[in-house]
Structure formats: structure tokens, C-alpha cells
Amino acid sequence: MEPLVGRSSSCLAQLMRDLGQPEYRARQLAAWIYRKRMTDYDAMSDLPADLRRSLAERYVIRSAVSERAAASKDGATKHLVRLADGLAVECVHLPYERRVSVCLSSQVGCPVGCTFCATGMGGFARNLTAGEIVEQFLLMQDLHPNRRITHAVFMGMGEPLLNIDNVVAAAHLLRDEVQVSARNLTISTVGIVPGIRALADADLAVGLALSLHAPNDAIRDRLIPSNRRWPLAEVMAAARAYRRATGRDVTFEYLLLAGHNDSAECARELAALLGDMPGAVNLIPYNPVEGAVAYETPSSARVRAFRAELEAAGRPVTQRARRGRGASGACGQLAGEAAGRRAPKLRASVSSR
Ligand code: SF4
């Protein structure tokens, strides 16, 4: 049976019309599915019994289950989510002092094949539906009920902008039905230019996190295969257009790989590439990942020197805390848990992108 999750209120309104019900029932049903996170029709007390019966005969409410969880000492918890077809993805619950975030997957595997990423090494199975993306959020809230999840980042498995229709639909559902502020939604990309442009037109104004990881095409081509199709100049032009269209600063993610992209010269080149475009650079020292090409973590001194060069050029810099290491949930570390079950080898960088 088809799941109801993934359908907007207007979609549910059509369903109600088809069942001979008044449209306001759609709003009631959406509230049960997305805000009260009900998975049992019998508990939907303001819906008539015959409607609940009709729905139960035709639809399941959700289709995915959380199969396993691994918590790390810093409070992050990685969850393995099993999909209806037996494939699996991973997502991470990340509580902070003032907010609670979840990192969501958008694909089973990933077709991009970044050389530092175990998901990319493992290949691609399929896109997630909008419902499967939203289900990850709802499951995380079910399993961590004490604090409301306030933020969601699309930085798990997969390249979100290669699944743009479902990712945009999921972001709309999170904003309109689950009621997460669009300001608190962030979509990450390695620079899929048509996707960035489509996202700018999507009437969402979500945050965009652009994974650069290199200051020039020569280095970037070696790390991110899609750079050969959409080189840095095109990626940066699309990012500038995104900022103009949405009014939101882009965040630049930069994974530091010892000896590859972490020199002071690279930092200066990165500062020049960004020029006068506002937006912070988020530095992410590499975390070794089983199954990916062997890169090494840069020394702390090297990271400090890289950061200092950027700051000297006037660029705001943040450095991602390595949360979730104990749960294999830090950047590039969500490897392999979902592997081998009718799926390619999987990992999700939370985000190494
Ligand atoms: S870093 Fe992102 S885009 Fe690259 S292979 Fe991994 S999941 Fe795909």
C-alpha cells in the first residue's frame, strides 16, 4: 500500500474529495501525520470512523522504520532507517545547546563519486521520495521526543540537487506541514549547477551549503568528479545567483585533506575565488573513512594556518565540531552500516560536502 506521508495538504484534499469527504478533513489528517506524528488511524479521534476505515484499507501512514541507532558520547545519534523496499539510509540526530538538528539523506548511495567519500565509492541505488526524506525527520522526533527538532540539513547520503524534485517537495513539507522554519533548513551540494538554479526558483529560500573543498579546478577535478561538468566558475556564478534570488548568504564548506588542499597558498586562492561574495567558510578537517581513498587528517597547526590566511583576507571562518565520532556519524564517517542489503556500500557524510 502507498504511504500517506509525503503528501501535502492540497494533495490530501484531492484524496478527501475522491473519498467523498469535505476538504477540511485534509487539514485534520495532515496535522495527525506531520505534527502529531500519529501512525495509527484509530487514534485520529476527530476523523469519522468510516473515513479512518477507508484510509486504512488504502494507505499505510508511513513506510520506513528506524532499525538501529548508535549514540556517541557527544550526544549525536546515528540511525539506520530501513525503507519499504529493503534498502536503507542513515540519518543523524544532533542536539546542540540552543537547537536540535537532524541530518537527512536524499538518495540511497550517490552517483557523484567524490574520492573522499565512502558513499560515493559505493555507487548509487535510487532517489528517495519526498515522503522518505520527511519520514527520517519524523522518526528522529519520535525517537528523541524530549526536545523539538528545530533544524534540518540535507547533508546525509546522496547529492540532494540530483534529486531536486523530491528534495524541494520534502523541504516544502517540512516548512508547511511539519512547520520547521525555512531559515532552519539547509541544502548541501557539491555544485550541481542546474539544481542550484532550480532551487533558487523553488520559492523556499532555504540555506545553501556549497561544498567547495578546493580553490581551483585542477584540485577539485581530482576530488569531485562533477566538477568536470560544472567547473568552479559556473558553480560560483550559480551560487551568486542563488544569493541574489533568495537574499540568503551561501555557506562554503571546505574539507581539509592533508597535502591536497590544505596549504596556505590554497587558502589564499580560496579567499580570492570567493572575492567579495559574503558567506562564511566552514572548515572540516578530514575524518578517515573506511572504504574511501586514503586521505589524511591535516595537523592542527596546518588547520590553524589555513584558517588564519582566510581570516587575514577578511573571510569569516567557522570550524565544524567533530560531533558524532563515536557513532561513526561525523563528517564522511557514516559509512557502511547500511551496506550490502540489496544496496551498494553506503556512507553519509554529515557532510563532507
Ligand atoms: S560527498 Fe556528497 S556528492 Fe560526493 S559522493 Fe559523497 S554523498 Fe555524493
Side-chain angles (χ1 to χ4, degrees), residues 107 109-121 155-160 162 188-190 192 211 213 223-226 347-349 351-353:
Q107 297 181 311
C110 182
V112 178
C114 300
T115 54
F116 51 81
C117 169
T119 296
M121 299 284 98
M155 295 185 180
M157 291 178 168
E159 163 51 60
L162 289 179
S188 167
T189 180
V190 288
I192 308 301
S211 295
H213 304 337
L223 303 179
I224 302 173
S226 65
R347 132 305 154 211
S349 67
S351 114
S352 40
R353 291 168 310 122

Side-chain angles (χ1 to χ4, degrees), residues 39 44 73 106 113 117 171 198 220 224 236 246 264 275 281 292 318 321 348:
T39 55
M44 298 182 179
K73 284 185 188 145
S106 55
C117 169
R220 204 164 190 264
I224 302 173
M236 290 304 298
T246 62
V281 171
T318 57

Side-chain angles (χ1 to χ4, degrees), residues 139-221:
L139 281 167
M140 293 300 95
Q141 189 67 83
D142 293 344
L143 294 163
H144 302 272
N146 292 340
R147 290 176 65 195
R148 184 168 174 265
I149 298 171
T150 54
H151 291 65
V153 293
F154 291 69
M155 295 185 180
M157 291 178 168
E159 163 51 60
L161 297 189
L162 289 179
N163 184 15
I164 181 82
D165 291 347
N166 288 313
V167 163
V168 165
H172 273 117
L173 288 167
L174 289 172
R175 183 190 69 180
D176 301 337
E177 309 294 352
V178 184
Q179 297 186 338
V180 180
S181 165
R183 294 211 73 76
N184 296 346
L185 299 174
T186 300
I187 293 178
S188 167
T189 180
V190 288
I192 308 301
V193 168
I196 296 172
R197 296 197 185 279
L199 191 62
D201 292 337
D203 186 29
L204 272 167
V206 294
L208 182 69
L210 176 59
S211 295
L212 288 175
H213 304 337
N216 59 52
D217 286 323
I219 298 175
R220 204 164 190 264
D221 281 353

